[in-house]
């Protein structure tokens, strides 16, 4: 589907994720990751394109709407960048992206869901 379009900047990854997830584009989601990337979502840790594909195939089968996230500015160091997004429910995602030799950016580490602390709960 949309795999030909790549992230020109690290901040583009969250927008592309949202577009592809809402379109049900599993291959487009997988294309946002390097081949040996690691994705963590709760108790699930998926390593590499095959496991990430399986994760998103399952997720998209269960869920059809993904709200737009607030994309926070990336922190860059050369060809690496940390990206962040905040969902409307307060959940945050934090990722490490790398500039690709052929152009664009891909995630190599993705911590998909960091839930906010609940009020009154001690750390």
């Amino acid at each position: 589907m949309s795999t030909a379009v790549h992230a020109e900047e690290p901040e583009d990854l969250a927008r592309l994720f949202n577009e592809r997830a809402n379109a049900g584009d599993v291959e487009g989601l997988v294309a946002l990751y390097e081949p040996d990337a690691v994705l963590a979502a709760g108790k699930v840790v998926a390593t590499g394109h095959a496991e990430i594909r399986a994760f998103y195939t399952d997720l998209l089968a269960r869920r059809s709407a993904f709200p737009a996230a607030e994309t926070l500015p990336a922190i860059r160091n050369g060809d690496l960048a940390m990206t962040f997004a905040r969902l409307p429910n307060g959940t945050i995602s934090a990722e490490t992206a790398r500039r690709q030799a052929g152009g664009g950016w891909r995630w190599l580490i993705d911590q998909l869901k960091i839930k906010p602390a609940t009020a009154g709960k001690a750390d």
Side-chain angles (χ1 to χ4, degrees):
M1 276 173 114
S2 56
T3 56
V5 176
H6 62 263
E8 293 292 329
E9 301 295 334
E11 292 87 354
D12 294 339
L13 288 162
R15 176 184 53 79
L16 290 170
F17 173 88
N18 190 258
E19 290 172 4
R20 294 172 186 187
N22 282 312
D25 185 0
V26 171
E27 292 307 314
L29 291 171
V30 173
L32 298 174
Y33 296 85
E34 290 191 350
D36 295 323
V38 176
L39 177 149
K43 295 178 181 178
V44 175
V45 177
T47 302
H49 277 178
E51 290 181 15
I52 291 171
R53 181 177 294 106
F55 172 80
Y56 282 125
T57 298
D58 179 60
L59 179 66
L60 294 180
R62 292 182 288 113
R63 188 167 171 192
S64 60
F66 295 83
E70 173 191 2
T71 303
L72 306 173
I75 300 171
R76 298 183 194 211
N77 183 352
D79 289 339
L80 296 176
M82 287 187 67
T83 60
F84 310 90
R86 181 180 306 131
L87 295 173
N89 67 3
T91 299
I92 300 230
S93 69
E95 303 84 20
T96 303
R98 182 173 15 224
R99 186 186 327 264
Q100 302 298 294
W105 292 78
R106 285 185 173 183
W107 285 319
L108 62 139
I109 301 171
D110 184 358
Q111 176 62 61
L112 197 56
K113 293 191 231 177
I114 304 171
K115 295 190 182 211
T118 55
K121 196 172 188 181
D123 289 334

